[in-house]
Amino acid sequence: MYALAAALMLAQGPEPPRPSFTEWLGGVRAEALARGIRPAVVDEALGHLDEPLPVVIERDRTQAETVLPLEKYIARRLTPKVVKTARQMVTHHGKLLGSVAERYGVPPRIIVAVWGLESAFGQFSGVRPTVAALATLAWDPRRSALFREELCDALEILNRGDIDLPHMRGSWAGAMGQVQFMPSSYLKFAEDFDGDGRRDIWSSPADVFASIANYLKGHGWTAGAGWGREVKVSREAAAKIASQVARRNGRCQAIRDMTVTLPANMWRQLGVTLSNGGRLPAGTPDAAMVSGRTRHFLVYANYDALLEYNCAHAYALSVGELADRTREGSPVPRHSKRSQRLK
Ligand SMILES: [Ca+2]
């Protein structure tokens, strides 16, 4: 790989000298003004940035991918404490979640599960300054165009007055607030559900819940349908599925790591059963198979909306399972592991 990269660099000649961070920011400033963002907003947001933040570059280059098998990831994230908190939140915010669910068609337990996994139910929404983080990532040549666009969108959010600069905070990667939206997603999907004129994903529970629901709805979540279910796949059935059922094509690895969608009847014929060995019930929707090392899941169309939030099966299955476990009478896991933040 390195030899190839070196050869390519030789073929293309040395890279042109890069502008300094300050010179580069001047270009962003001009672009933002051309987009109609008020000079006062641009000056406040960019004026105090003297240099890129080394910690952002470092974090970006060492981002931990999900290396744990998904069974382990789910077990570590869905601790008894997380499940208990999710249940309490579904009850505590019951009335508000009910109104949000009615408007967007996304069930309260799914909204709470996403919220729980994104920001520990609003407790850890990130304290990093979004504009400074995005400016650093946009200046870094690796994914400059993508993050420059996000930076301009962040300035647009400030321009609209939804949040002020000191409160526009989130992760080092630019994901903001309790819903962890990138600025582009914010502009498309954030909602002002409490009606105060600002879309506040940082501190308004109404806006947080509605924004999560609106994002899922905007990515195809269908009201009244589930996300999927765990199933049992014998070794023999697993071998048949591996040899007979094609994988999906898609933009991210998780999508390429699942099968195409088949009618429930086909899954029955391949030997897939309910976890307790029972027959897949009538009315089971068309489904794709997601398999870990030991656990298997049939996932329905709504699962795709969860992957749009974060394209990793470990994440999307954690959301689905956490949502299911907030139901009355569902089992709370007995094992107890220290809560770990794996994102
Ligand atoms: Ca609001």
Side-chain angles (χ1 to χ4, degrees), residues 182-330:
M182 294 301 286
S184 57
S185 290
Y186 178 100
L187 289 176
K188 284 190 206 120
F189 299 109
E191 290 282 270
D192 173 25
F193 200 75
D194 62 16
D196 72 347
R198 299 183 315 122
R199 301 185 285 172
D200 184 357
I201 57 169
W202 292 268
S203 62
S204 159
D207 294 4
V208 166
F209 299 154
S211 297
I212 291 171
N214 192 43
Y215 185 96
L216 294 176
K217 184 184 181 199
H219 286 96
W221 185 280
T222 303
W227 66 270
R229 75 187 313 158
E230 185 162 9
V231 289
K232 192 163 157 187
V233 179
S234 66
R235 196 168 290 178
E236 188 195 2
K240 258 198 233 169
I241 291 164
S243 65
Q244 295 176 20
V245 184
R247 301 262 152 166
R248 246 166 105 169
N249 284 315
R251 62 178 178 83
C252 84
Q253 190 59 47
I255 290 175
R256 297 189 293 272
D257 282 344
M258 63 200 286
T259 72
V260 293
T261 299
L262 296 177
N265 198 36
M266 295 287 289
W267 292 117
R268 279 191 207 102
Q269 285 173 25
L270 286 160
V272 176
T273 65
L274 294 178
S275 298
N276 64 9
R279 183 182 157 83
L280 290 177
T284 299
D286 293 356
M289 175 77 70
V290 176
S291 289
R293 292 188 183 176
T294 56
R295 299 179 69 184
H296 306 271
F297 302 83
L298 281 183
V299 297
Y300 314 142
N302 277 347
Y303 185 82
D304 287 358
L306 299 179
L307 285 181
E308 289 289 342
Y309 216 113
N310 186 341
C311 200
H313 292 304
Y315 172 84
L317 292 171
S318 294
V319 170
E321 186 159 331
L322 180 54
D324 287 353
R325 288 208 210 153
T326 61
R327 283 199 174 110
E328 290 284 333
S330 64

Side-chain angles (χ1 to χ4, degrees), residues 43-54:
D43 288 344
E44 189 199 3
L46 303 182
H48 68 288
L49 299 179
D50 303 321
E51 50 189 19
L53 306 173

Side-chain angles (χ1 to χ4, degrees), residues 69-122:
L70 64 87
E71 290 86 352
K72 266 197 177 148
Y73 180 96
I74 294 170
R76 287 202 189 169
R77 296 222 59 183
L78 305 194
T79 61
K81 187 171 174 230
V82 165
V83 174
K84 190 177 158 199
T85 307
R87 287 181 176 178
Q88 286 168 342
M89 291 298 161
V90 167
T91 307
H92 180 74
H93 294 287
K95 196 171 166 205
L96 175 58
L97 285 163
S99 320
V100 171
E102 196 173 325
R103 168 110 50 109
Y104 300 93
V106 180
R109 59 181 186 277
I110 290 284
I111 297 169
V112 166
V114 169
W115 185 44
L117 289 166
E118 290 298 334
S119 64
F121 310 100

Side-chain angles (χ1 to χ4, degrees), residues 38-49 131 155 158 164-166:
R38 283 174 288 127
V41 170
V42 179
D43 288 344
E44 189 199 3
L46 303 182
H48 68 288
L49 299 179
V131 168
L155 297 174
L158 293 168
D164 59 19
L165 183 69

